[in-house]
Amino acid sequence: MALRAAAPVFGLAKRATATAVPSVSLVRNYSAPVGNAIPAAKKKYVPSRGTYPQGFKVGGVVVGVKPNNTTKPDLAMIVSDVPCAAAAVFTKNRFQAAPVTFSRELLRKAAAADKPTVRSVLINSGCANAVTGKGGLEDAAAMARAADACTGTPAGSGTVVMSTGVIGQRLPIQKILDGVPKVYAGLGSSHDSWLQTAKAICTTDTFPKLLSRTFSLPSAPGVEYRIAGMTKGAGMIHPNMATLLGVVATDAPLDQAALPSLLKHSIDRSFNSITIDGDTSTNDTVALLANGLAGGPAVPNDPASPDYQAFQTVLTDFAAELAQLVVRDGEGATKFVTIRVTEAASAASARRIASTIARSPLVKTALYGKDANWGRILCATGYSLISEPGEADAATASIAPEQTNVSFLPTDGSAELKLLVNGEPEAVDEARAAEILELEDLEILVRLGTGSEEATYWTCDFSHEYVTINGDYRT
């Protein structure tokens, strides 16, 4: 089923339909903007209106998790009128933050109960509550209990907890606990409430990342379902997953047992297909909540079901748009880059090659410098499948230099610029290459000629400002 934007007010660039953006518009504030202002170049990604799922209320307030924060909302809450079917995907970093540990166990129990139990999500920014020992786990549990008390849910059973910010520091837990009733009292369902909530989960982000859409399902063509989501992230972004948090809410009726597989499929093709700097964080969580209040037959836990397949498409496309917003806000970034690897021997090799190119510092710095140094792309392709000592060399069957092709695909609709054809370098028109690299959006296409599989990654360039931002992160 087609995913329909609710009153679209900006466009995520697509390969065939993107519009060229003059380089002069790429100026952004690299440090925290004065007064929480959104840089001019990023305002186009912030929706001015939306259509949000029935039965969800949201809000964000200032509690001062960071002592010097007195203006930016830093405690967010999402609450459903009724218990939701829920699932989440978490970081694979071995040092997993306390809210990750707490929320994973909460959702494990919900899945075992095989019925909707989750009423809310509570998120703080400013402190990750990661590598904080037993005390950190106690703080995560205390946050959940405070939220459950507001919603009238049995203590410790109804709230997914998330945190983001500096690693290795304890939460100012009393500030947060005092703020929970405050944020709950101010919950609303308006666009402004959703936007305020999206702002409250941001850290080094320069703009809030919020989307909403409407869709239909085959079994209930007359019912308008709604889906909304927010995410945060700008640095320490790389699967699995990335320094990001995300919440997706829908009023569609979903079988609790179907959610984990639906979510994992979509995450692999969205949040697990982005990279900014190659670092995977301790706190990454993307949760999906479905309260079913729009009515209609429940989407079954059956991949052969037309409703299951339709919702899978909706969720995957929606998650990909959210994930791309994270890349567009990469710390210090000036370009949004799609890496597409095709004609690969296997999906795994295509994905690994795309990932390697996407996180190569040499590729990313060349893109920042607007240098068509395609040799760096070939270099990253060539080492991407090198095996560890004692392992079979995966590159032998997957990469054939004499069959490899590399091109730039301009996002303004103009002709492909071929850089390498069947292993032979082209006489590159440097002036044309410079024009392409002036655009904010770029696609790099690598055809391997060894099979029929493909993979796509989204990344950004590396600038001087990335170092500045992360050199000053705690100060």
Side-chain angles (χ1 to χ4, degrees), residues 10 58 92 96 103 244 295 354 358 365 397 448 468:
F10 65 86
V58 301
K92 291 187 177 180
Q96 296 186 348
S103 296
L244 60 86
T365 50
L448 296 174
T468 299

Side-chain angles (χ1 to χ4, degrees), residues 7 12 28 49 74 104 135 171 241 248 265 305-306 313 327 344 363 395 407 447 453 463:
L12 292 179
R28 65 170 264 176
R49 54 192 178 273
D74 53 3
R104 178 184 283 112
L171 290 170
M241 286 184 314
V248 177
H265 180 278
S305 159
T313 298
V327 176
V363 170
S407 299
R447 300 184 183 94
E453 299 293 337
S463 70

Side-chain angles (χ1 to χ4, degrees), residues 44 105 148 158 187 189 192 260 267 273 283 291 348 353 436 447 463 474:
K44 60 189 174 185
E105 178 62 16
D148 289 340
L187 296 178
S189 56
D192 287 345
I267 293 298
S273 292
N283 287 60
N291 65 16
I353 292 167
I436 293 172
R447 300 184 183 94
S463 70
R474 293 206 306 164

Side-chain angles (χ1 to χ4, degrees), residues 322-384:
L322 269 179
Q324 288 169 24
L325 288 177
V326 173
V327 176
R328 289 188 179 281
D329 200 25
E331 290 172 342
T334 67
K335 293 190 183 304
F336 176 85
V337 186
T338 299
I339 311 291
R340 195 156 61 97
V341 176
T342 67
E343 301 176 12
S346 68
S349 62
R351 184 173 177 81
R352 188 165 164 184
I353 292 167
S355 171
T356 303
I357 297 169
R359 68 177 187 270
S360 164
L362 290 180
V363 170
K364 291 159 74 71
T365 50
L367 292 171
Y368 172 66
K370 303 174 186 176
D371 180 8
N373 192 345
W374 58 267
R376 293 182 175 182
I377 301 169
L378 259 293
C379 180
T381 301
Y383 70 67
S384 60

Side-chain angles (χ1 to χ4, degrees), residues 228-432:
M230 63 187 73
T231 187
K232 62 79 56 182
M236 201 182 283
I237 303 291
H238 186 70
N240 290 293
M241 286 184 314
T243 293
L244 60 86
L245 302 179
V247 180
V248 177
T250 181
D251 53 18
L254 301 176
D255 187 315
Q256 170 66 49
L259 260 67
S261 58
L262 285 166
L263 184 60
K264 184 180 185 305
H265 180 278
S266 68
I267 293 298
D268 284 346
R269 291 155 181 80
S270 58
F271 289 102
N272 274 342
S273 292
I274 61 174
T275 185
I276 288 175
D277 47 23
D279 275 321
T280 297
S281 180
T282 55
N283 287 60
D284 316 327
T285 305
V286 176
L288 171 62
L289 277 65
N291 65 16
L293 287 180
V299 175
N301 184 26
D302 177 9
S305 159
D307 278 0
Y308 184 104
Q309 294 172 1
F311 185 77
Q312 183 72 89
T313 298
V314 167
L315 182 61
T316 300
D317 291 348
F318 186 79
E321 290 193 44
L322 269 179
Q324 288 169 24
L325 288 177
V326 173
V327 176
R328 289 188 179 281
D329 200 25
E331 290 172 342
T334 67
K335 293 190 183 304
F336 176 85
V337 186
T338 299
I339 311 291
R340 195 156 61 97
V341 176
T342 67
E343 301 176 12
S346 68
S349 62
R351 184 173 177 81
R352 188 165 164 184
I353 292 167
S355 171
T356 303
I357 297 169
R359 68 177 187 270
S360 164
L362 290 180
V363 170
K364 291 159 74 71
T365 50
L367 292 171
Y368 172 66
K370 303 174 186 176
D371 180 8
N373 192 345
W374 58 267
R376 293 182 175 182
I377 301 169
L378 259 293
C379 180
T381 301
Y383 70 67
S384 60
L385 301 179
I386 293 176
S387 303
E388 296 296 322
E391 296 179 347
D393 192 348
T396 302
S398 300
I399 299 175
E402 70 281 2
Q403 295 170 216
T404 302
N405 295 261
V406 177
S407 299
F408 286 161
L409 295 186
T411 53
D412 62 0
S414 57
E416 170 183 355
L417 180 64
K418 296 181 179 180
L419 306 171
L420 184 78
V421 177
N422 294 326
E424 296 291 334
E426 292 287 284
V428 177
D429 182 341
E430 294 290 346
R432 176 63 184 136

